[in-house]
């Protein structure tokens, strides 16, 4: 009795449950709900990747069904709250069944092709599918492209074209600088930097020199200019 | 005298070429809305066997083509406009159509799932409208079907929807 049904065809847990009950040609009662519980759980086990929120709704209903079935199997304890829950579910399911019927009527009406239009010639709304314009061909398109490009400003950012300074070169520059006078300030070096790239490389070069112990950096007071000092003020060998 | 009111209404609705609200029609024929509505009901019944019918949804009125000649009209327009609706859309529409006006919470309670996306779609397609707010906490939006809904089903008003046996007894 295993049906190859794609769970995703069901609009939700109620849809599935109703389907199971109707398929068994049962009325909606506590008994029938208990009877289809196993089938419902079986289907639940087959669900492919469902959105957690949707899955949650299926599981919520599963819990109710299991409860109903357990009461049907062990009717020893009188539980008025349970009676209410069961009646509620049965009623909800009936109501859903009622509107499923109504939606089938609507579908029949739709399929019958009987419909009206309001307003004169405006009745035909333009088709939403895109239609290629008539006067378009490859030449026109490439001309348009060329003229669009010609309207673009030329690339004037020369920084793109300048040779970049390497860290090694920058390190040499720093050392030369420091060798001219034993102590210098960072601000002087920054003033010499021609662009943003040089500032960055200057910073990297300084860090490298500090790391290798070739220069010392000092800041006498907070926010003072930073002093740089070569550890050996002699020229390179 | 009554006859000329109907004639006037018919002419105005034709010229409007789209739906007109009851109040505007009432002003046009210089009557109060209630009397205008009565005249419109008469007009609707007068037209019920013609090629043009009077459709009414809420306070909106519109002249529409008779559904029985839909295929001929369609041929004339030269435009196949088959409406496809998903199962979820149909369920939601059915609930709204038979219980309008109704809130999203009511709809969700019947379907057992969230109808938020479906409602958005139906609003976009112009098949339902927001028709006010419920007088309960939070004042949630109420939904009703639109004139377009009637048009695609070939109905003149919601009362023409087929009755379904086994009414759950909760008609609002």
């Amino acid at each position: 009795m295993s049906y190859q049904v794609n769970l995703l065809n069901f609009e939700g847990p109620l849809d599935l449950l109703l389907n199971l009950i109707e398929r068994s040609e049962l009325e909606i009662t506590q008994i029938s709900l208990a009877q289809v519980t196993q089938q419902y759980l079986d289907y639940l086990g087959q669900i492919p990747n469902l959105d957690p929120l949707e899955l949650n709704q299926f599981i919520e209903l599963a819990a109710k069904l299991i409860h109903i079935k357990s009461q049907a199997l062990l009717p020893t304890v009188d539980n008025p709250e349970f009676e209410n829950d069961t009646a509620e579910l049965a009623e909800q399911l009936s109501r859903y069944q009622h509107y499923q019927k109504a939606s089938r009527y609507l579908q029949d009406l739709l399929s019958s092709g009987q419909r009206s239009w309001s307003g004169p010639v405006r009745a035909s709304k333009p088709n939403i599918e895109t239609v290629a314009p008539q006067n378009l061909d490859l030449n026109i398109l490439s001309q348009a492209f060329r003229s669009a490009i010609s309207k673009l400003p030329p690339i004037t950012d020369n920084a793109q074209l300048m040779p970049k300074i390497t860290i090694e070169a920058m390190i040499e520059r720093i050392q030369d600088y420091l060798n001219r006078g034993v102590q210098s300030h960072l601000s002087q070096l920054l003033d010499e930097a021609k662009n943003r790239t040089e500032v960055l490389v200057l910073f990297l070069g300084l860090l490298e020199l500090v790391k290798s112990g070739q220069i010392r950096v000092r800041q006498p007071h907070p926010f003072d200019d930073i002093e740089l000092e070569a550890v050996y003020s002699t020229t390179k060998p | 005298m009554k006859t000329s009111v109907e004639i006037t209404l018919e002419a105005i609705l034709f010229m409007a070429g789209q739906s007109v609200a009851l109040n505007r029609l009432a002003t046009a024929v210089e009557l109060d809305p209630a009397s205008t509505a009565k005249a419109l009901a008469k007009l609707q019944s007068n037209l019920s066997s013609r090629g043009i019918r009077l459709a009414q949804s809420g306070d909106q009125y519109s002249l529409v083509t008779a559904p029985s000649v839909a295929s001929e009209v369609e041929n004339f327009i030269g435009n196949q406009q088959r409406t496809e609706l998903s199962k979820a859309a149909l369920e939601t529409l059915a609930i709204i159509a038979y219980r309008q006006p109704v809130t999203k919470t009511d709809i969700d309670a019947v379907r057992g799932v969230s109808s938020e996306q479906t409602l958005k779609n139906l609003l976009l397609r112009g098949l339902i409208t927001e028709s006010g707010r419920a007088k309960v906490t939070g004042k949630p939006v109420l939904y009703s079907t639109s004139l377009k809904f009637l048009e695609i089903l070939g109905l003149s008003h919601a009362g023409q929807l087929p009755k379904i046996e086994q009414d759950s007894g909760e008609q609002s």
Side-chain angles (χ1 to χ4, degrees), chain A residues 9-15 57 91-92 94-103 105-107 109-120 122-127, chain B residues 17-18 62-68 70 73-74 77 79 81 85 87-88 90-91 93-95 98-99 109-114 151-154 161 164-167 170:
Chain A
N9 281 338
F10 292 109
E11 285 305 321
L14 284 185
D15 196 5
Q57 289 164 332
E91 196 189 297
Q92 188 185 26
S94 296
R95 199 165 48 214
Y96 184 66
Q97 187 181 46
H98 177 76
Y99 286 105
Q100 270 215 340
K101 212 179 272 186
S103 71
Y105 277 126
L106 288 188
Q107 179 61 67
L109 273 177
L110 265 182
S111 327
S112 73
Q114 291 220 330
R115 58 159 298 172
S116 307
W117 281 268
S118 67
R122 272 204 291 80
S124 55
K125 294 212 175 79
N127 275 335
Chain B
Q18 58 187 2
S62 169
L63 286 177
V64 299
T65 60
S68 47
V73 175
E74 210 164 26
I77 300 176
N79 194 356
Q81 281 188 50
L85 285 173
K87 196 169 166 202
L90 280 168
E91 274 177 18
L93 263 182
I95 296 167
Y98 283 90
R99 294 181 71 171
V110 174
R111 295 186 62 218
V113 289
S114 168
E151 281 170 38
I152 61 167
L153 295 179
L161 282 167
I164 316 167
E165 332 87 49
Q166 280 179 57
D167 197 307
E170 287 196 41

Side-chain angles (χ1 to χ4, degrees), chain A residues 130-141:
Chain A
T130 49
V131 180
Q134 301 290 41
N135 58 340
L136 185 68
D137 71 10
L138 202 52
N139 280 331
I140 297 179
L141 198 55

Side-chain angles (χ1 to χ4, degrees), chain B residues 66-125:
Chain B
S68 47
V69 294
S71 47
E72 287 87 344
V73 175
E74 210 164 26
N75 286 339
F76 179 78
I77 300 176
N79 194 356
Q80 292 284 330
Q81 281 188 50
R82 288 290 135 153
T83 314
E84 296 276 328
L85 285 173
S86 68
K87 196 169 166 202
L90 280 168
E91 274 177 18
T92 311
L93 263 182
I95 296 167
I96 299 176
Y98 283 90
R99 294 181 71 171
Q100 55 189 308
V102 72
T103 65
K104 173 182 175 311
T105 311
D106 295 334
I107 300 170
D108 290 350
V110 174
R111 295 186 62 218
V113 289
S114 168
S115 312
E116 184 170 348
Q117 194 56 49
T118 314
L119 284 170
K120 280 197 191 129
N121 285 338
L122 290 173
L123 278 169
L124 256 172
R125 297 178 76 152

Side-chain angles (χ1 to χ4, degrees), chain B residues 136-158:
Chain B
V136 293
T137 329
K139 299 258 186 338
V141 176
L142 288 166
Y143 295 99
S144 302
T145 50
S146 65
L147 263 174
K148 182 145 184 232
F149 168 77
L150 293 177
E151 281 170 38
I152 61 167
L153 295 179
L155 304 172
S156 290
H157 55 93

